[in-house]
Amino acid sequence: MSFDLRRTKILATLGPATDAPGVLDDLIRAGVNVVRLNFSHGTPEHHGERVAAVRAAALRQGREVGILADLQGPKIRIEKFAAGKVELKAGQKFTLICRADAPEGDATQVGVSYLGLVADVRVGDTLLLDDGLMAVKVDAIAGDNIHTTVLTDGYLSNRKGLNRLGGGLSLGALTDQDKAHIVIAAQLDVDFLAVSFCRSAADMDEARSLARAAGSDAGLVAKIERAEAIENLVEITIASDAVMVARGDLGVEIGDAELPGLQKKIIRTALEYNRVVITATQMLQSMVDNPIPTRAEVLDVANAVIDGTDAVMLSAETASGQYPVKAVEAMVRICLGAERQFDHETDFEAAPRNLERADQAIAMAGMFLAEHIKVRAILALTESGGTARYLSRFRSSVPIFGLSRHDGARRKMALMRDVFPINFDSRGLPTREAARGATKQLFELELLTEGDRVLVTSGDHMELHGATNTLRLLQVGASGVAEGLGEL
């Protein structure tokens, strides 16, 4: 290991392309930090097999790899066509049928999965199908039928998604299937749980309550993909451990032109409220079929990195694409290139005031020192990973090593930008000796060299969560033995 470490983390979605022998090992070796299980597809048994394979591959390579379970959520879909797909022409009439016994579709009509749609739409609304590739305008509502006029030519096939332009559909964030999947995710001991189509903090609170009742301590990820979520962005962010810029459905609901500005707003809000942020959807979409990305995709990923995202995510590129490993390798190259252009100067004038937690104050003080005196690294001795997260909210040129004895805490830190998780057990050690032991371990891993100065954050009682209250400045001496330069 060396200090030329990539700071932006990479998520890769698992799928048929990653099930082939050796591919998962190659993905982790290439640089994947967290894998995503898409609960919209597959069986519990299949997810279990993938979790076991990830844990085994990570153990073989000595890597900390987190696992994110992505709930399907209440995605509205059209039902099936008798012929599998139909061709629609602009100007023709097309009816959406909101009945459980709707007949198989044809070129004039099709059923929809959300029977309440008929009460949610109004005459004049634009409905978007198949991620916006097809659009229809609502002309009239009669009983269970929504009569529309087709606005765009194209083909429409079975089970494609449906959105209302501008959002406003009333269905909740968690379906009965999602609630069952939360229990399965808890049994699989996943590290993160992503809630699709959340609308409010209440949706995230419900998911957290269900997860905790099922015995899971997974971090809750709010997927921002509804127009309503933008209106409630701050409350959703506060109620979550991480947020995801889910650009697919969000772009459909709010329109492509608004998406770049909102992506920046979501990243900025997450950092302001000390939350982790993931940028996702079609980041290297061309690599589903091609071995190199387009220049536009390179710029897209790089801009997300420069804006401060913690992680970037690959979806179909790794799940079903022809070049899953090359997609990860390309993502690594782009992130490293963008990080070299990143402005690391932290504006402490804009930092939060009136901090209520000691660990937040220690993190802010540590970053202030790191920016004003020459140190090689920050060592965060942590139980839950919370101090490392607070440290990582301040963008700095100094790497943060999160040292914890807890497997789950280290896997959660694998998603945090600038944080590199290390297995270290401080139980039974006085805090001063724990700091020296951590420094020596990093020296032996060749992550520190003699003469380096480091900042160490720790607590008087290391076995307690949220107990960080001490900041030390140490210098690495001969054989990695730390010499005290001060306790702050």
Side-chain angles (χ1 to χ4, degrees), residues 104-124:
E104 286 192 309
D106 57 26
T108 66
Q109 63 182 21
V110 72
V112 295
S113 63
Y114 174 44
L115 305 186
L117 182 65
V118 70
D120 278 359
V121 299
R122 299 289 180 269
V123 172

Side-chain angles (χ1 to χ4, degrees), residues 72-218:
Q72 178 173 332
K75 178 120 178 158
I76 302 174
R77 299 181 185 275
I78 60 171
E79 296 295 356
K80 295 182 178 181
F81 294 96
K85 70 176 181 179
V86 297
E87 184 178 9
L88 301 179
K89 295 288 188 181
Q92 80 175 75
K93 301 300 181 181
F94 191 72
T95 301
L96 301 171
I97 305 173
C98 301
R99 293 199 319 267
D101 62 348
E104 286 192 309
D106 57 26
T108 66
Q109 63 182 21
V110 72
V112 295
S113 63
Y114 174 44
L115 305 186
L117 182 65
V118 70
D120 278 359
V121 299
R122 299 289 180 269
V123 172
D125 284 353
T126 298
L127 303 180
L128 302 162
L129 303 163
D130 194 7
D131 290 336
L133 295 178
M134 177 73 63
V136 298
K137 186 174 183 179
V138 177
D139 297 326
I141 301 165
D144 297 326
N145 295 332
I146 301 171
H147 299 289
T148 75
T149 298
V150 177
L151 299 178
T152 50
D153 294 351
Y155 288 92
L156 191 59
S157 57
N158 297 339
R159 302 288 295 162
K160 293 300 183 184
L162 183 153
N163 299 76
R164 176 182 175 273
L165 182 63
L169 301 181
S170 62
L171 71 174
L174 293 172
T175 66
D176 290 342
Q177 183 184 54
D178 291 331
K179 294 172 183 178
H181 281 168
I182 288 174
V183 175
I184 293 168
Q187 294 167 348
L188 295 176
D189 193 25
V190 303
D191 305 296
F192 303 96
L193 189 67
V195 179
S196 298
F197 301 101
C198 66
R199 303 162 301 172
S200 64
D203 289 335
M204 300 308 299
D205 292 340
E206 181 185 8
R208 190 181 298 277
S209 177
L210 290 169
R212 298 300 178 259
S216 171
D217 67 347

Side-chain angles (χ1 to χ4, degrees), residues 250-263:
L250 181 62
V252 171
E253 286 210 358
I254 60 138
D256 292 340
E258 302 299 322
L259 192 56
L262 285 177
Q263 174 174 307

